[in-house]
Amino acid sequence: MEIYTEEEERTMKKVLFLTTGGTLSCEASEDGLIPKLQGAEILAQVPELNTLAKISVQDLCLIDSSNLEPEYWSRWAEVIGDNYNDYDGFVLSHGTDTMAYTSSALTHMLINLGKPVVLTGAQVPLSLSNTDARSNLQLAFTIAVSGLPGVFVAFGNKVIKGDCAKKIFSKNFNAFESVNETPVLFFSKSGMKKNLPDRQIVGGFRVENKMEAKVMAITVTPGLKPAIIDFAVEKGYKGIVLELYGAGGINTEKNDFLPAIRRALKKGVKIVCVSQCLFDGVDLSLYPMGILAAQAGVESGAGMTLEAALTKLMWILANR
């Protein structure tokens, strides 16, 4: 039996569905939820997706996203690059816990991206009746055939740029927020609101997928000792993301971080700072400790999320 008419075959867009596991693919076991469903099984349970696109499947792995490592990003970016000319868009199913890291990493690695690469997942497995997986998959595939260029997270009632996404709920179906930028699409009671990206792409698409794994994130807290920075340097870390207070506050009195920061910078370690606050970001020109940190050589991550700053630093250290 034919699935599509000849006319539909000619006009229906092609999407490559890449699966990695996560809650969406989980089934219950004696040890809790375990990723089990492969891409073909997911499509069989959500057949309406086949009305949106002509879908091919490639199963990349089957993991809990807490076990994610930077080398996965490099492989996945390479897969997208290898298949770039054959598809109109890509959907990547992913666990929610580290989805924002992956979406940020792919944003950096996929240069001059002219097609949609859409990440999605679920808070409740597809195998359960109260799942949010179906609606998230439908949203993701709708964006994947839209022609919008870029990496996106499609989840709940939002579509978010990949390097602006942050998970803010552990259970709520609207798990992700767009940080310091309006979502690309947002569905509310008053209808759909748009903040669409520019479709104009300058230069040819290419993949730069090397990532430096020796990058550490340090959240500054009261009582934290500056020796943590010396420890990171001793252990061979090449980059540090400091998650500072507010607009860029850091201890400069009893536990003065500036000498340790200067020692690290002198040894060639790159240091970037972001804010612990969800919105607004850092401004190192406001307070003396921020000014002193900038003078020492700490770079501002401005309004970047921790996930975006960390993956960008990994990418810069490996490719520049």
Side-chain angles (χ1 to χ4, degrees):
M1 182 177 66
E2 292 185 357
I3 298 177
Y4 308 110
T5 66
E6 290 185 6
E7 179 62 24
E8 288 172 333
E9 284 277 5
R10 287 193 294 269
T11 60
M12 186 166 281
K13 291 190 175 182
K14 296 172 64 179
V15 172
L16 181 58
F17 183 29
L18 304 169
T19 69
T20 70
T23 297
L24 185 149
S25 69
C26 281
E27 293 184 346
S29 74
E30 293 181 356
D31 299 319
L33 294 173
I34 304 291
K36 288 188 176 181
L37 295 180
Q38 301 276 17
E41 296 170 297
I42 294 171
L43 290 178
Q45 293 192 39
V46 195
E48 56 268 33
L49 296 177
N50 290 303
T51 67
L52 300 175
K54 188 175 180 181
I55 304 170
S56 300
V57 175
Q58 188 168 338
D59 298 308
L60 301 177
C61 61
L62 202 56
I63 63 168
D64 183 309
S65 72
S66 296
N67 292 319
L68 185 71
E69 297 289 344
E71 57 259 31
Y72 285 93
W73 301 327
S74 297
R75 292 204 300 268
W76 299 348
E78 186 175 3
V79 169
I80 292 170
D82 290 343
N83 290 277
Y84 187 77
N85 293 326
D86 297 325
Y87 293 92
D88 299 293
F90 302 83
V91 172
L92 179 71
S93 64
H94 196 290
T96 58
D97 286 345
T98 55
M99 188 184 295
Y101 288 97
T102 296
S103 63
S104 294
L106 291 176
T107 298
H108 305 315
M109 292 191 289
L110 303 175
I111 312 299
N112 296 325
L113 181 61
K115 299 177 180 182
V117 174
V118 191
L119 284 77
T120 197
Q123 295 282 61
V124 176
L126 178 60
S127 58
L128 300 183
S129 60
N130 62 333
T131 184
D132 56 331
R134 287 186 175 83
S135 58
N136 287 339
L137 285 166
Q138 289 171 355
L139 179 58
F141 275 89
T142 299
I143 300 303
V145 299
S146 69
L148 291 176
V151 177
F152 307 101
V153 169
F155 208 100
N157 64 357
K158 299 184 185 77
V159 178
I160 302 167
K161 284 179 61 178
D163 58 351
C164 296
K166 191 173 190 71
K167 186 178 179 183
I168 61 168
F169 291 109
S170 62
K171 295 180 180 179
N172 191 292
F173 281 1
N174 290 318
F176 288 86
E177 186 57 84
S178 182
V179 176
N180 293 326
E181 187 162 333
T182 305
V184 174
L185 289 175
F186 177 75
F187 298 90
S188 67
K189 292 181 180 179
S190 60
M192 181 174 66
K193 299 179 181 180
K194 300 179 181 179
N195 178 36
L196 301 182
D198 189 351
R199 290 175 182 264
Q200 184 178 357
I201 303 298
V202 179
F205 170 76
R206 68 185 189 278
V207 176
E208 294 185 8
N209 63 339
K210 295 178 182 178
M211 296 293 277
E212 173 53 64
K214 297 287 284 186
V215 174
M216 178 184 286
I218 298 174
T219 300
V220 174
T221 58
L224 184 69
K225 305 302 181 185
I228 188 69
I229 292 180
D230 296 312
F231 173 82
V233 176
E234 290 169 7
K235 292 299 181 181
Y237 281 86
K238 298 180 180 180
I240 298 172
V241 177
L242 289 176
E243 200 173 23
L244 305 182
Y245 305 123
I250 191 169
N251 198 325
T252 56
E253 293 186 352
K254 180 180 178 180
N255 286 312
D256 188 355
F257 270 76
L258 294 178
I261 286 172
R262 292 190 183 101
R263 288 193 296 271
L265 292 167
K266 190 174 181 179
K267 292 184 178 181
V269 177
K270 194 174 183 68
I271 301 179
V272 177
C273 67
V274 295
S275 177
Q276 295 175 25
C277 299
L278 186 58
F279 297 108
D280 295 335
V282 295
D283 182 349
L284 298 183
S285 67
L286 287 179
Y287 299 102
M289 59 280 289
I291 293 170
L292 290 171
Q295 289 174 346
V298 174
E299 297 183 24
S300 172
M304 297 179 75
T305 64
L306 171 64
E307 295 89 341
L310 187 79
T311 53
K312 185 173 183 178
L313 186 52
M314 288 177 164
W315 180 79
I316 286 174
L317 289 170
N319 293 279
R320 293 292 182 264

